[in-house]
Amino acid sequence: TGRYLPAAAAWIRRSPPRPRVPPRQRPRKILIAPDSSLTSRPPCQPCRALMPSPDSATPPNAAAWLARAQSLAEQATPAALAEAARAYECAITLLRALPTTDLGARRDLALAHLNHGNTLQQLATPAELTASVLAYDAAIALLASPEFAAQPAAHNTCGAAWINRGHAFHRQGTPEALAAAAASHRSAIA
């Protein structure tokens, strides 16, 4: 086995270095969406352009916005994260337009809110941390509904939303936020 080590070392030296990500700074990704009272911003121009007209029978493709947002969020640069947050907002706007009786769409909306909160939390400004808490609240509201009570995956995702909510409060650092973080973490294990 010793004769292969020089070749492996040469290959590793030729590889471009991988970007370093701080340990556990990135929250866990999950999707969910809040009602209109919990959003931090009005829909962006691309979202408004994609909203179906009243006479349209074809809904816009929220899945494409979700895929774009996830792709941008994985880049983890400030510009990509800001664009990912806008893409999640577009997806959330489009998912809200779907019938509330569609559990799959509600689950996707909840996951979109959760991932939106994660993206906002990575931006780490005070305003974005506050907005991330609102996104997690929207996700929790959807996942804690009676329709999802019998689904273990929804309980797991709801717990992740509570944990991420607590982490966002913790990063705010004020005594009130730290108390809210502890309460969120207790709710995650309840």
Side-chain angles (χ1 to χ4, degrees):
T1 59
R3 67 177 188 234
Y4 294 109
L5 290 178
W11 180 78
I12 290 171
R13 281 192 298 273
R14 287 192 311 263
S15 302
R18 290 178 45 177
R20 298 266 182 213
V21 176
R24 284 313 295 156
Q25 291 293 321
R26 293 176 52 171
R28 187 173 167 193
K29 287 185 183 180
I30 302 179
L31 301 173
I32 220 164
D35 63 69
S36 60
S37 66
L38 295 177
T39 57
S40 59
R41 301 179 193 128
C44 60
Q45 184 62 34
C47 295
R48 279 185 245 126
L50 286 175
M51 290 302 295
S53 63
D55 57 347
S56 173
T58 309
N61 191 356
W65 282 105
L66 289 173
R68 175 174 167 71
Q70 290 171 348
S71 173
L72 288 165
E74 288 175 0
Q75 295 175 21
T77 64
L81 290 171
E83 186 61 32
R86 285 190 290 277
Y88 277 122
E89 290 167 4
C90 289
I92 288 167
T93 301
L94 297 174
L95 287 167
R96 279 193 192 134
L98 297 177
T100 59
T101 57
D102 184 358
L103 279 182
R106 289 183 63 204
R107 181 192 151 281
D108 289 346
L109 179 61
L111 292 175
H113 278 291
L114 182 60
N115 286 340
H116 183 234
N118 293 344
T119 302
L120 292 171
Q121 192 177 148
Q122 287 177 346
L123 289 170
T125 65
E128 302 299 351
L129 288 173
T130 302
S132 72
V133 170
L134 294 176
Y136 295 135
D137 287 343
I140 291 165
L142 287 168
L143 292 171
S145 66
E147 294 85 8
F148 292 110
Q151 298 181 10
H155 286 287
N156 186 32
T157 303
C158 191
W162 278 111
I163 289 170
N164 290 347
R165 182 180 187 269
H167 187 66
F169 274 126
H170 187 311
R171 291 183 73 186
Q172 290 176 6
T174 64
E176 298 84 15
L178 293 175
S184 293
H185 288 124
R186 280 191 297 275
S187 294
I189 59 174

